[in-house]
Amino acid sequence: MVDNMIYTLLQPDHPLLLTALPEITAETEPESRPELLANMVETMKHYGGIGLSANQCGIPLRMFVFGDNENYVPCFNPRIIETVGELIPIEEGCLTYPGLFIKIFRPERVTATFEDENRELHKDTFTGLMARVFLHEMDHMDGIDFQTRAGHLALDIAKRKRTKAIKKMKKMQEKT
């Protein structure tokens, strides 16, 4: 059995994170979707995430994975069909910005199509947290930084909270 690779995450200012990714075609098809998926899941678990897009790992493919420790949804060439429901504000994080949590408004439900690692097409509806994560990862596919979804005040408060938390952690580390 081959060990899965853990990808290094790109820095927030990398141009690939701000680039809308085209659909995967025969020319851009990854060598092995199952291998890419396994590496993406391992990377997501390694960094403690519940969603990870290929471009965050420096891979210019329209693909992401999301889920928990046991159930993962691979999304190759995802497309949103519709979003439904009230816009709900909930704090979101992003593996690109460790420790930064920003209140983002997103719809309660999303219906989408996507291919799995075997190129089978799926249509599914996600609600609650799974809808939020799907939409967050779709933003990555479209080159949208989640910070741009927040108001200036909310972003400023979130950044100050993160700075405080980092200072507190450094003080704790100095004591040990």
Side-chain angles (χ1 to χ4, degrees):
M1 182 172 170
V2 178
D3 285 335
N4 293 319
M5 176 186 291
I6 305 238
Y7 298 124
T8 300
L9 300 182
L10 295 181
Q11 292 299 307
D13 61 349
H14 195 284
L16 187 56
L17 295 174
L18 301 175
T19 302
L21 300 168
E23 294 231 344
I24 298 169
T25 64
E27 292 80 31
T28 60
E29 181 67 36
E31 196 173 303
S32 168
R33 282 187 182 200
E35 183 180 331
L36 173 61
L37 174 60
N39 291 342
M40 291 284 293
V41 168
E42 283 305 307
T43 302
M44 185 176 73
K45 286 166 48 176
H46 174 78
Y47 290 105
I50 56 174
L52 180 66
S53 64
N55 62 338
Q56 287 178 282
C57 303
I59 302 166
L61 292 176
R62 197 162 184 85
M63 180 272 174
F64 63 84
V65 62
F66 71 110
D68 58 26
N69 285 328
E70 295 175 21
N71 301 302
Y72 300 100
V73 180
C75 296
F76 291 83
N77 287 334
R79 286 188 181 168
I80 295 172
I81 297 185
E82 74 172 343
T83 57
V84 178
E86 185 181 337
L87 294 179
I88 309 288
I90 295 179
E91 280 193 346
E92 283 183 26
C94 181
L95 293 178
T96 301
Y97 297 95
L100 184 64
F101 297 94
I102 309 169
K103 201 167 273 195
I104 307 287
F105 286 80
R106 295 208 190 261
E108 298 175 271
R109 189 169 75 219
V110 60
T111 299
T113 61
F114 52 91
E115 299 167 14
D116 66 18
E117 70 275 23
N118 300 312
R119 293 180 190 79
E120 291 179 30
L121 187 63
H122 298 265
K123 180 179 178 183
D124 209 340
T125 298
F126 303 102
T127 59
L129 179 61
M130 298 315 279
R132 179 168 293 275
V133 178
F134 185 95
L135 292 167
H136 178 103
E137 298 308 323
M138 278 300 292
D139 279 353
H140 281 297
M141 300 291 92
D142 295 331
I144 298 169
D145 184 318
F146 90 129
Q147 293 181 102
T148 65
R149 296 255 185 228
H152 293 294
L153 182 59
L155 183 57
D156 186 47
I157 290 168
K159 285 181 176 180
R160 279 190 267 137
K161 280 184 181 178
R162 180 175 69 169
T163 301
K164 270 186 179 177
I166 289 170
K167 286 179 183 176
K168 187 175 180 178
M169 282 184 2
K170 283 182 180 175
K171 280 184 182 179
M172 291 172 65
Q173 288 172 346
E174 289 169 3
K175 289 181 182 180
T176 57

